[in-house]
Amino acid sequence: MGNEDEKMITAAETKLPRLLMELPGPQAKRVIEDDAKFMSPSLTREYPLVAKKGRGAIVEDIDGNAFLDFAAGIAVCSTGHCHPKVVEAIQKQAAELIHISGTDFYHQHLPQLAERLVATMPGKEHKKVFFGNSGTEAVEGAIKLARYATKRDKLIAFYGCFHGRTLGSLSLTASKNTQRKHFGALLGGVEHIPFPYAYRCAHGHTPETCGTEILELLEQQMFKRLFAPEEIAAIIIEPIQGEGGFVPAPAFFLQELQRICNRHGIMLIVDEVQSGMGRTGKWWSYEHAGIEPDILCTAKGIASGMPLSAFIAKESVMRWKPGSHGSTYGGNPVCIASAMATMELIEGGYMANARKMGDYIFGRINDWPSRFKVVGDVRGKGLMIGIEIVRDQKTKEKAADLRDAVISNAFHKGVLVLSSGENSIRMSPPLLIDREQADFAIQTLEDCFREAEKKI
């Protein structure tokens, strides 16, 4: 990017991997053994990375091995690891005021950050903000607000979506049955419909036209057979499904969904927990479709790793009474300081870099399906990039085992990527990556594809 902030980071640390030993190293093995003794077994780990420190797009493990991070803590470290300006903001605020509950008291940073966030969402109507601690809390709050504002209780979500793991948001989540299994009855009045998944469109549509039949299903079947539209509080959608495979919804689909919601007084909630904060080259991925949601949920990249979330709603929607919703830690002063520094960096160049580097990476990988028989599809926007792995391109047979082998192999070559959906790989690097780092990650994955093809 050429700005001074990036120079500070890249001058201090290597920009590419440095592997010193066979992975995992001896100290990593010790930590993994302790983890197995004391940590909940519900946690899933892609590979044996035991992180110790990070700088920019590089993570160093406890044995001194350095990795190029194209996962960013699941799209959380938007400005990279330990950006100097973010660290400075955190340290300064921690020395002044660590906590005061925004539910019971005022502090000046709450409306300051809220004003900054509202400014990223232009539209006809003023917006208001509620701060929480995590993405699932933002979704829970959005559910409550939609029900409160509409005096309705029904909700519609999409197959493949991930909205969180607490019981309300889990009721909306429909990504993997493992996430819902054994938890008993969830929130009532929730139904799901298909998501416009162009690569696997049953009607053979393109990525621009997939979803017409889903909208017809919504209006002609669901509204007539299950829920009358006047009973529906909200429809919630990820403009780009995150955990579901980095699958983008076509612009026309989001536009038509808003039209349907507006016609029936239904709240349109967009979940931008993973796709927001500049990752797609715009503040919010819904902007690519030119819509204006009633409620937006954000978290992950908002504070570069500090626990913070928010849901932002039109003023006409956020009219609940004092005491209707609250949070002890939401809007913590230290987290807000981190978010303010994060927004300055995103606005100051990192969002533009996400757009530029996303264009560069897609320009290099769009032909992967024609070059590698294990790659079925490449999709996404900006630095939210999904690669679907298949055993056969004609049948599109899903190959989770090959996907997992590619991810593990990439780790052992020094590049961190994550799984997504049943058989996809996601790349969600910090927004500050440069061409040298992009080229290294691309070359590494290409080497991994070639090795995976030998297993077919």
Side-chain angles (χ1 to χ4, degrees):
M1 287 166 52
N3 65 40
E4 293 304 313
D5 299 323
E6 186 181 0
K7 289 177 182 177
M8 290 171 66
I9 291 173
T10 56
E13 300 282 347
T14 177
K15 291 199 298 178
L16 298 177
R18 181 188 67 246
L19 302 181
L20 306 176
M21 64 197 70
E22 184 178 344
L23 303 173
Q27 293 194 66
K29 287 179 180 177
R30 176 183 54 78
V31 173
I32 292 167
E33 289 173 0
D34 290 344
D35 190 279
K37 290 180 184 177
F38 299 108
M39 292 300 298
S40 166
S42 64
L43 301 173
T44 57
R45 272 63 179 259
E46 299 267 7
Y47 32 74
L49 172 70
V50 179
K52 182 180 181 181
K53 61 183 179 180
R55 188 77 161 181
I58 294 294
V59 172
E60 186 174 311
D61 77 359
I62 197 168
D63 291 293
N65 300 293
F67 300 84
L68 178 59
D69 187 1
F70 264 55
I74 319 181
V76 167
C77 301
S78 50
T79 61
H81 294 276
C82 300
H83 192 289
K85 288 194 173 181
V86 173
V87 171
E88 180 185 12
I90 291 170
Q91 291 174 334
K92 181 179 178 182
Q93 182 58 51
E96 186 173 85
L97 179 68
I98 291 177
H99 171 74
I100 193 81
S101 177
T103 293
D104 296 313
F105 306 101
Y106 299 94
H107 66 86
Q108 63 180 335
H109 306 305
L110 282 168
Q112 286 176 354
L113 179 58
E115 182 179 11
R116 290 289 300 273
L117 286 168
V118 166
T120 69
M121 296 179 62
K124 299 176 182 177
E125 193 173 330
H126 181 62
K127 315 291 193 304
K128 289 194 171 183
V129 180
F130 184 98
F131 291 111
N133 304 284
S134 64
T136 193
E137 286 186 45
V139 172
E140 294 278 358
I143 292 171
K144 290 176 66 177
L145 178 59
R147 285 182 159 188
Y148 189 101
T150 63
K151 305 298 185 287
R152 306 171 181 181
D153 67 339
K154 304 296 189 293
L155 301 161
I156 295 174
F158 291 83
Y159 291 121
C161 67
F162 184 89
H163 297 296
R165 296 179 185 270
T166 49
L167 286 178
S169 61
L170 182 62
S171 305
L172 302 175
T173 292
S175 180
K176 297 181 178 74
N177 61 18
T178 306
Q179 296 157 351
R180 298 165 63 102
K181 193 174 182 180
H182 300 311
F183 295 119
L186 300 177
L187 196 65
V190 177
E191 290 288 343
H192 292 83
I193 58 176
F195 188 86
Y197 192 166
Y199 177 63
R200 297 186 178 276
C201 181
H203 303 278
H205 288 295
T206 68
E208 291 74 32
T209 61
C210 180
T212 302
E213 291 79 11
I214 297 169
L215 295 167
E216 291 177 358
L217 171 70
L218 177 64
E219 292 193 283
Q220 301 303 319
Q221 298 294 327
M222 182 163 285
F223 284 179
K224 292 182 178 180
R225 300 180 186 277
L226 291 176
F227 297 156
E230 60 269 20
E231 291 186 303
I232 299 170
I235 297 176
I236 183 167
I237 188 169
E238 297 168 277
I240 303 176
Q241 286 197 334
E243 209 270 348
F246 276 28
V247 183
F252 96 91
F253 187 87
L254 295 172
Q255 293 161 4
E256 285 300 295
L257 202 60
Q258 180 166 64
R259 177 188 61 79
I260 292 168
C261 287
N262 288 345
R263 178 192 297 171
H264 298 290
I266 299 169
M267 298 289 100
L268 177 60
I269 304 173
V270 294
D271 181 340
E272 295 260 13
V273 168
Q274 190 159 174
S275 59
M277 298 309 296
R279 177 151 296 280
T280 66
K282 293 181 180 289
W283 276 112
W284 313 108
S285 65
Y286 78 78
E287 293 182 83
H288 295 281
I291 64 170
E292 184 181 356
D294 297 294
I295 306 172
L296 175 141
C297 301
T298 182
K300 289 192 183 293
I302 191 173
S304 296
M306 295 296 287
L308 183 69
S309 68
F311 57 97
I312 308 164
K314 293 177 178 177
E315 187 172 28
S316 61
V317 175
M318 197 176 280
R319 286 183 173 175
W320 43 13
K321 301 296 183 183
S324 299
H325 195 52
S327 172
T328 299
Y329 291 104
N332 170 273
V334 180
C335 297
I336 285 189
S338 181
M340 293 288 281
T342 297
M343 291 192 72
E344 286 180 14
L345 291 165
I346 292 173
E347 196 167 50
Y350 287 176
M351 182 161 59
N353 190 61
R355 184 166 57 248
K356 181 181 74 173
M357 291 307 304
D359 289 343
Y360 175 72
I361 292 173
F362 277 109
R364 285 207 53 193
I365 71 174
N366 273 330
D367 65 347
W368 273 357
S370 64
R371 293 174 53 207
F372 302 102
K373 54 189 176 182
V374 297
V375 178
D377 191 34
V378 172
R379 56 184 177 248
K381 291 183 187 297
L383 292 179
M384 191 170 182
I385 302 160
I387 305 109
E388 184 154 350
I389 305 301
V390 296
R391 199 173 308 279
D392 185 304
Q393 289 183 335
K394 290 183 180 179
T395 65
K396 300 182 181 180
E397 180 187 348
K398 298 173 183 177
D401 59 331
L402 296 179
R403 185 272 311 273
D404 295 345
V406 169
I407 290 173
S408 177
N409 198 0
F411 165 69
H412 284 88
K413 294 178 184 294
V415 175
L416 308 179
V417 292
L418 292 172
S419 63
S420 184
E422 292 182 64
N423 60 306
S424 294
I425 297 167
R426 54 180 147 182
M427 292 197 289
S428 57
L431 307 188
L432 50 65
I433 60 162
D434 62 19
R435 282 198 178 197
E436 184 181 6
Q437 293 170 321
D439 288 338
F440 188 94
I442 290 166
Q443 184 59 56
T444 300
L445 285 176
E446 289 181 350
D447 292 342
C448 294
F449 296 150
R450 292 187 185 97
E451 293 177 36
E453 287 177 346
K454 296 175 184 177
K455 300 180 180 181
I456 297 178

